[in-house]
Amino acid sequence: MAPPRRADLDIGVLREMYVVQGLSLAEVGMRVGAAGSVVARHLRRAGIAVRPPGGRLDLPVEEIAARFRAGESQRSLARAYGVALDTIKARLKSHAAGHADQSDKPVTGRG
């Protein structure tokens, strides 16, 4: 079977693999028979944020946390920011840990 032509790449399939499943550009490319750079170009043209190589996508965590507190679901936030659901969960968890009330911390030392 011949690899798909670049114009034949389905953005829905690319988004599912990259955003929802969390695969790398190279992994998506291998699965669809295209280079990672071609996958990245298609995602960008569709308005989907591409993660920096080997790094974390810079997300507005304060904004995400505020939207979550206002009642927006984690799944909806993931779709809105073009990231995997696990990414939203991890960012909300780290945000909550960084803003924990001092009284929640265990008391250590003598006394």
Side-chain angles (χ1 to χ4, degrees):
M1 179 175 176
R5 291 184 8 235
R6 289 181 179 132
D8 293 339
L9 294 176
D10 181 339
I11 193 63
V13 171
L14 298 179
R15 184 189 179 288
E16 170 70 23
M17 285 191 253
Y18 186 72
V19 175
V20 178
Q21 296 177 22
L23 298 178
S24 70
L25 293 170
E27 290 169 323
V28 173
M30 284 190 294
R31 291 185 182 194
V32 299
S37 60
V38 172
V39 173
R41 186 169 52 250
H42 275 73
L43 291 171
R44 284 188 193 105
R45 285 181 182 162
I48 298 170
V50 176
R51 298 183 296 269
R56 284 174 50 139
L57 186 62
D58 187 26
L59 295 173
V61 180
E62 293 287 339
E63 177 182 307
I64 291 169
R67 288 173 68 171
F68 181 67
R69 285 191 304 271
E72 190 166 349
S73 74
Q74 292 177 355
R75 187 171 306 285
S76 173
L77 290 166
R79 272 189 243 110
Y81 290 98
V83 297
L85 178 58
D86 287 342
T87 299
I88 294 296
K89 288 179 180 181
R91 299 296 173 88
L92 287 171
K93 184 177 179 179
S94 66
H95 179 267
H99 288 81
D101 184 11
Q102 294 292 338
S103 63
D104 291 342
K105 294 184 179 179
V107 178
T108 59
R110 299 176 208 209

